[in-house]
Amino acid sequence: MFLLLFFIQLGYSQSAKFKVTLDAGHGDHDHGAIYGNCTEKNINLAIVLKVGKILEKQPNIVVTYTRKTDVFIDLVERANIANRADANLFVSVHCNASKNPAAFGSETFIMGLTKTASSMEVAKRENSVITLEKDYKKKYEGFDPSRPESIIGTTLVQEEYVENSIMLAGKIQEKFKNIERKSRGIGQEPFMVLHKAYMPRVLIETGFISNETEGAYLNSEEGQDEMAEAIATAIIEYKKEYFDGGDYEELERPSRILKEETKKEEAKKESIKKDSTKKEIVKKESQSNKIESNNTAEFKLGIFYKVQISAGDKKIELSPSNFKGLKDISMEKDGKYYKYYYGETSEYENTKELLKKAKEKGYKSAFVVAFKDGKVISVNEALKQK
């Protein structure tokens, strides 16, 4: 039995596909950082394609890309490409930049929240890309790119991915040191591009293109080859150590989580829509009631007369088109019935003209109603009190 389980497990580790999604930061009109001849979006893409080429030669590694050409991809869509592919790793490649031209070295970030000023500036710069996206305020509701920490308020950090993300980040930085690149270590910042990826994920700042020497290195074929080799080697080592060893813990499939999260988002939007509709209905009814209050006898003092033209259990909008062209229509609710009146006068003699006009319009059964302080009284009683 033990041998059977061993061979099943061994067979699984040998045949299971290890999926990696590579993300070249920025693209198209989003150039990223630009210094001299160095344009970040181009360097990112060049390195990613080289990493992918190395990985694709490995058995049982499947590579997907968020972009392979100079195109613009929304940040959340980059993560979703990895989710839909059920990727085991998400690796986003970028270049750093600073107002200090002496700054140099590589750094690998995992998803999280720290308060170091320098790394928070990196997060601000990378997250600011969302402002180039259509309807970004609706899409990233509750997130302020100038305050990266606000991302934490939109969801909980997926703790189950942190440990493996740190392991991968450590291997990447180790490989950079092996090719004599300065390592600035591992950082933890709230990057939007990592936020929605449901697997171990890292964002690599390969170096500072604002530094003349490092920028020239990253912009060169040799530099890109070396950086790509280092990143690919780290990924392959991670796969062998954490995926091929047989004790790999299968986490919930990202595509399933994405589907569940999408359902939650749709339910939330539907709830907001319903709530908004209810508020609009309440608002309209409030306005309608206000109009009705202004057009009913309920709040009027003294004796006055109106011509009742109809009554029914249906509420009708008080517009002339609904009353054969008659204007000055008011309504009063009496139990479950609505009573509709035409005109208003404090002189009984004037009711004759109102009644005549109502009957000419087709309200043959119209009749005069008397009110005192908003309450209906008989016409005879009203005449006696005049």
Side-chain angles (χ1 to χ4, degrees):
M1 184 68 178
F2 172 79
L3 285 174
L4 179 61
L5 289 172
F6 172 78
F7 284 117
I8 289 173
Q9 191 175 54
L10 180 64
Y12 173 79
S13 65
Q14 289 176 341
S15 62
K17 298 295 182 182
F18 185 74
K19 300 172 185 177
V20 181
T21 296
L22 299 175
D23 171 49
H26 307 282
D28 194 36
H29 57 283
D30 171 23
H31 296 86
I34 301 176
Y35 283 84
N37 295 324
C38 300
T39 302
E40 183 186 355
K41 66 171 184 174
N42 297 334
I43 296 173
N44 297 341
L45 183 59
I47 293 174
V48 157
L49 293 176
K50 290 176 185 291
V51 173
K53 192 173 182 180
I54 296 168
L55 294 179
E56 285 168 347
K57 291 179 181 178
Q58 297 293 313
N60 296 329
I61 292 184
V62 176
V63 181
T64 54
Y65 303 83
T66 58
R67 69 180 184 99
K68 296 182 78 173
T69 57
D70 187 20
V71 293
F72 180 76
I73 309 293
D74 291 355
L75 291 186
V76 71
E77 175 58 19
R78 292 170 188 263
N80 283 340
I81 289 171
N83 292 329
R84 289 192 292 268
D86 282 326
N88 299 101
L89 290 179
F90 177 73
V91 179
S92 186
V93 176
H94 293 254
C95 296
N96 216 332
S98 173
K99 292 178 182 178
N100 176 11
F104 72 103
S106 64
E107 192 167 8
T108 301
F109 291 91
I110 67 168
M111 180 64 194
L113 182 62
T114 60
K115 288 290 184 182
T116 58
S118 59
S119 55
M120 283 293 276
E121 284 305 312
V122 175
K124 284 181 185 179
R125 186 177 69 250
E126 300 297 358
N127 289 338
S128 67
V129 172
I130 70 170
T131 60
L132 301 176
E133 299 179 21
K134 186 178 179 182
D135 296 331
Y136 79 92
K137 288 184 178 178
K138 289 183 180 179
K139 194 183 299 180
Y140 303 100
E141 186 179 0
F143 175 65
D144 180 358
S146 67
R147 291 177 56 252
E149 66 274 18
S150 67
I151 197 174
I152 302 300
T154 64
T155 190
L156 296 173
V157 180
Q158 295 94 334
E159 294 292 342
E160 64 266 37
Y161 311 128
V162 172
E163 186 177 345
N164 284 42
S165 298
I166 292 172
M167 296 298 182
L168 176 61
K171 288 185 177 295
I172 291 169
Q173 287 305 119
E174 180 188 322
K175 300 309 172 191
F176 285 158
K177 285 192 283 187
N178 289 349
I179 58 172
E180 300 182 347
R181 305 311 304 169
K182 178 187 175 182
S183 172
R184 296 168 67 93
I186 300 171
Q188 189 173 20
E189 287 300 334
F191 289 99
M192 179 56 78
V193 72
L194 300 181
H195 167 52
K196 291 289 188 178
Y198 305 120
M199 72 284 299
R201 63 269 204 237
V202 297
L203 184 146
I204 304 168
E205 295 286 357
T206 53
F208 287 79
I209 60 174
S210 51
N211 180 292
E212 187 176 351
T213 303
E214 192 160 56
Y217 171 78
L218 292 172
N219 206 29
S220 70
E221 193 78 27
E222 180 186 358
Q224 291 166 6
D225 284 339
E226 288 184 355
M227 296 300 283
E229 182 73 36
I231 295 168
T233 302
I235 292 171
I236 292 167
E237 283 191 9
Y238 174 93
K239 173 183 178 289
K240 287 179 180 177
E241 190 170 340
Y242 296 99
F243 187 78
D244 295 342
D247 57 351
Y248 172 73
E249 184 181 352
E250 184 81 33
L251 297 172
E252 188 173 359
R253 290 173 63 179
S255 60
R256 188 176 300 163
I257 299 174
L258 175 62
K259 188 178 287 186
E260 289 171 359
E261 289 298 314
T262 302
K263 284 181 180 179
K264 287 179 185 176
E265 283 294 318
E266 288 174 351
K268 183 181 176 183
K269 287 178 183 176
E270 187 62 28
S271 176
I272 292 170
K273 186 179 177 181
K274 285 181 179 178
D275 187 51
S276 178
T277 303
K278 284 180 181 177
K279 286 180 180 177
E280 189 62 30
I281 290 171
V282 170
K283 183 180 177 182
K284 285 182 178 178
E285 285 182 347
S286 176
Q287 291 174 340
S288 176
N289 289 337
K290 188 176 179 181
I291 291 169
E292 290 164 14
S293 295
N294 290 336
N295 286 297
T296 184
E298 190 176 352
F299 299 103
K300 297 183 184 297
L301 298 176
I303 293 175
F304 54 92
Y305 307 90
K306 293 187 177 188
V307 175
Q308 184 173 329
I309 56 175
S310 66
D313 58 0
K314 288 186 179 179
K315 189 176 181 181
I316 304 171
E317 186 183 345
L318 306 180
S319 64
S321 59
N322 290 329
F323 295 92
K324 303 180 181 181
L326 289 176
K327 297 178 182 179
D328 194 19
I329 300 295
S330 58
M331 181 194 73
E332 182 182 59
K333 191 172 183 184
D334 185 6
K336 66 177 183 178
Y337 293 100
Y338 297 93
K339 295 180 179 180
Y340 298 91
Y341 302 96
Y342 167 56
E344 180 187 313
T345 178
S346 58
E347 299 296 329
Y348 179 72
E349 287 299 316
N350 295 337
T351 62
K352 295 176 182 178
E353 187 62 33
L354 292 174
L355 186 60
K356 180 183 176 184
K357 190 170 183 180
K359 289 188 175 184
E360 286 176 351
K361 288 288 186 178
Y363 295 103
K364 302 299 183 183
S365 59
F367 57 93
V368 176
V369 178
F371 295 86
K372 181 181 180 181
D373 298 335
K375 294 183 179 180
V376 176
I377 60 174
S378 69
V379 173
N380 286 335
E381 189 179 346
L383 290 172
K384 287 177 184 177
Q385 295 185 35
K386 269 290 187 178

